[in-house]
Amino acid sequence: MSSSSIIVFVIQILVLFSLSWETATSKTIEGRALVKWKNTLSNNTHDVLGSWSIANLDNICWNWTGINCTNAGAVNEINLESCNLSGTLESFDFTSFPNLTLLSLQNNNFVGSIPYAIANLSQLVFLDLSWNSFENFIPTEIGRLTKLESLSLAGNKLNGTIPPQISHLHHLLSLSLYSNFLTGQIPEAIFSNLTRLKYFSCERNLFQGPFPPNLINLSQLEALNLDENLFFGSIPATIGKLSSLRFISFSHNMLHGTIPETLCNLHFLEDLYLDDNKLGGLVPQCLGNISSLRFLYLNFNNMQGTIPETLCNLHFLEVLYLSENSLDGVIPQCLGNQTSMLYISLGSNILHGNIPQTLCNFHSLERLNLNNNSLSGLIPSCLENVTSLRYLSLGSNILGGSIPQTLCNIYSLEILSAHSNSLRGLISPCIGNVTSIKYLSLSHNRLQGHIPRALCNLYSLEGLSLSYNSLEGQISQCLGNVTTLGYISLRSNKLQGNIPRGLCNLESLEVLILSNNYLGGTIPQCIGKLKVLRTLLVSKNLLSGTIPQTPTVQNGTGLCSLSFLKFLDLSNNNLHGPLPLCLGNFSRELEVINLARNQLHGTIPEACTNGNNLLYFNLNDNHLEGTLPQGLENCSFLEVLDFGNNKIADTFPHWSGVLPNLRVLVLRSNHFYGTIYSSKTRLPCRKLHTFDISNNEFTGPLPRHYMENFEAMKHANDGEILEYYELKGDFLLTSPLLSKGDDLSTSSPGWNGYDLSISLVWKGKEVQVVYYDICTIFDLSNNNFHGEVPRSLGNLRFIRFLNLSHNQLTGNIPSSLGNIIDLEVLDLSSNKLVGEIPEQLSRSLTFLAVLNLSYNNFSGHIPNGPQFNTFSNDSYLGNVALCGFPLTLQCQDGGEGQAPNVEDSQNFWIGFGWQSVVVGYSCGIPFGIAIGYLLFKYGKLGWLIRLVLGR
């Protein structure tokens, strides 16, 4: 072998040795760096990353979890997706991985910031840190990873703005930033420079500003998702130039204007989501030209006009959502040609006409929502052909006829809602054959007959609403066998008999509503077995006996064991006996207690421990006595307190002033006594708008300190009204089949759609008021208050009902009462008020419907005015010095009245002969005609008639 060959051989050996040594050194550096980082993670990672150890460095490329290497043995991929790892990246040595091309930590529990040192991964092509809990800003140094093709930071807690340095990533194909807390506008440089981008997703952030105008530069973009942000403005017509788009989602923003017709140029578009914006105008006819369209969501907008028949050309269309708009006209017959359709939602529009029979051609259809329109006619019996139908919602229309028995042949049906129509007839027992049904809502119809026992065969049934019909008979005991039931509403029917004890077997029952029927007997003691019950409403029945409260061996436990109860309404029955001692304390969840209009007696037990959520407490019209429990001051959320019409004997509850949310306080018709002195609370009862303490034994001056702080009576309703639980539908339970806008039943006023009223005397009659947030009432009548009416009462400008009658008030009517511009009822009768009636009242109180100033000592003339001229003599009885219309006593020039002497009046006419009468008529007729013409011309004829006829 020549010397030169030997030298070459030696060099090769040295090179191989060098490479081997370098590879071994690289493995050591990378392996030690990974082990060091592993040791900073939580303990449970040692099982997942058990192969990562110093003793196993030689096998880093072979059996280390999540590690891949190049052919030369350098780590180039770290993939630890869904490994349940916890910790930070602060101890990760990025400089030790110069060959890394992929780093994926998706779906773990990492926290802290994304380190700036991540920029040292200069060869990185794929970076996925999504679905962790990384926070703070996106580091600007990430823009130095110029070889990146895919970047996903979605599903974290990142905030701040998008750094414009991301626009340096010219090779980027996919950018995912969704589900964070990112703000500001998207930098224009991103759309200008990232021309290779195919996928851009930034939904569920806090981005704002107009629609990004530079989107048109992304000519290769295939998917664009800007969902759930604060973008506004119109969709630019230039979007039609993004010819590669297959997916568009701009849902849940504030976009307005019309849908540009250039959108129809996107011939490859498959998914179009524009729902939940403020888009208006017509649904573009040209959408029918996008033959590849599969999903079309335009619901929750302000779209108008008719449903274009061109949509029938979309033969690949699977989902059509046009609900919650203002679309009118009829449902196109040709929609039945869309044999690929899976979901159709046209609810909450103004559609009319019949339900097309062609809809029965949808053999693959799973969901059909036509609720809340003006559809008429019959429910098509041919719907039985849609054998894959799982969801059928026809509620809130004007459909008539009976429920077709053919619906019983749709054995896949899970939700059937036909509430709020004019359906009549019987509920067919064949419904028991559709054992897949989970929710059945037929409320607000004209259904008759009995509730079929066949319903007991629906062993998957979770929600049942048959309210507001004319159903009669008894509630079947066997309903207690349907153990999946979580919701039952049978209110407002003609049901009789007892509450079945079998219902106590429904351990999953959360809502039981039986109000407004003819149910008798007692409330079953076993009701306490319903451990998850949240709503119990059995008001307006014929129930008797006591309220079950104590445990018994035979029947389980009583009412006091319902620890999750939120709404309790037993009002309008014949219940007697004492209140449960646990009242107000047995459920920290309890928000409504309504036991009004029963025969309950005894004292009111202590209520409201700290932490109670009570909002509404009504014990009106019982026989309760004793004093009010001061523990009520702990009910910091309390909004309505109604203890009227009882026998309570106590002083005024000054502790009520500490309740920051109190809006209604009714104590009328009890035996409250004493003076109402100034509250120690600095600003008591600021939100109070109904204050009724009438028919008691209060003395002293009017409670000026309180009146001066009734801020809710001083200002118009600014939206901060009584906290209603708005529930569009009878069902409280949720289902994966239900979505926004797909409501199963209509609501009625009050909490959770339930009728929770208060008892008030309104315009002389006792009424039950539900919308009591608009009834601004100030009633202190039938007490022994004395002194003058404070001028500050006029500051309560938005009172609608003011009653200070039957007291010992003196002085004048303050002219400031003319500031109460919404006043409808004013009653100051049976006091000792004096002076003239202020002219300001007649000029300002234009809504006044009831006025009673009788039995005082008023004098002078009665003011004229649009409303005052409508009141009769009864409004002024017992004021001997008042004069003027409508009284027969006329005022003299000085404003004082003098009663006419009948005898003098007769003698006056006797002194005139027939000649005088003729002369009088001769002169009077032309004068009368002239006066009549002027009155008729200027619209004062009514005044003359009232003056002459005394009306």
Side-chain angles (χ1 to χ4, degrees), residues 434-476:
V434 191
T435 55
S436 58
I437 284 186
K438 294 182 178 179
Y439 298 93
L440 177 63
S441 177
L442 302 176
S443 58
H444 290 278
N445 279 292
R446 301 174 184 175
L447 300 173
Q448 298 174 330
H450 291 69
I451 299 175
R453 288 179 55 87
L455 292 181
C456 302
N457 299 330
L458 303 179
Y459 292 116
S460 298
L461 193 65
E462 298 178 22
L464 174 65
S465 178
L466 304 178
S467 303
Y468 302 102
N469 281 288
S470 297
L471 300 172
E472 55 190 10
Q474 298 186 356
I475 303 172
S476 298

Side-chain angles (χ1 to χ4, degrees), residues 45-62:
T45 63
H46 291 283
D47 295 331
V48 180
L49 304 179
S51 57
W52 292 19
S53 67
I54 298 297
N56 196 25
L57 285 177
D58 292 339
N59 294 318
I60 186 173
C61 295
W62 304 106

Side-chain angles (χ1 to χ4, degrees), residues 214-243:
N214 288 343
L215 274 172
I216 59 171
N217 296 324
L218 306 181
S219 58
Q220 299 187 46
L221 198 64
E222 296 180 8
L224 174 61
N225 196 335
L226 307 180
D227 263 8
E228 295 187 49
N229 280 286
L230 302 173
F231 292 114
F232 56 83
S234 58
I235 303 173
T238 51
I239 197 171
K241 297 182 179 180
L242 301 179
S243 57

Side-chain angles (χ1 to χ4, degrees), residues 257 436 505 587 827:
S436 58
N505 298 327
S587 171
D827 191 345

Side-chain angles (χ1 to χ4, degrees), residues 379 401-407 416 418 423-424 426-428 442 447:
I379 299 175
S402 59
I403 302 172
Q405 293 194 26
T406 54
L407 295 184
L416 173 58
L423 300 172
R424 59 183 184 273
L426 307 177
I427 301 175
S428 175
L442 302 176
L447 300 173

Side-chain angles (χ1 to χ4, degrees), residues 507-512 527-536 558-568 585-592 613 732 752:
E507 295 182 358
S508 299
L509 194 65
E510 296 184 31
V511 176
L512 178 59
I527 201 79
K529 286 185 176 181
L530 305 177
K531 298 299 184 183
V532 296
L533 195 67
R534 294 188 291 117
T535 299
L536 176 60
L559 196 69
C560 296
S561 63
L562 301 178
S563 57
F564 291 98
L565 199 64
K566 295 181 70 171
F567 306 98
L568 174 64
N585 293 329
F586 70 90
S587 171
R588 287 184 177 261
E589 300 293 323
L590 199 61
E591 297 182 9
V592 170
N613 291 316
L732 297 177
N752 256 8

Side-chain angles (χ1 to χ4, degrees), residues 24 45 117 127 138 242 267 291 398 478 486 581 588 602 604 643 797 832 843 911:
T45 63
L127 176 60
I138 300 174
L242 301 179
H267 299 296
S291 58
I398 47 178
C478 63
L581 293 176
R588 287 184 177 261
I604 303 173
F643 291 159
R797 298 179 59 240
K832 299 178 180 179
R843 293 197 298 265

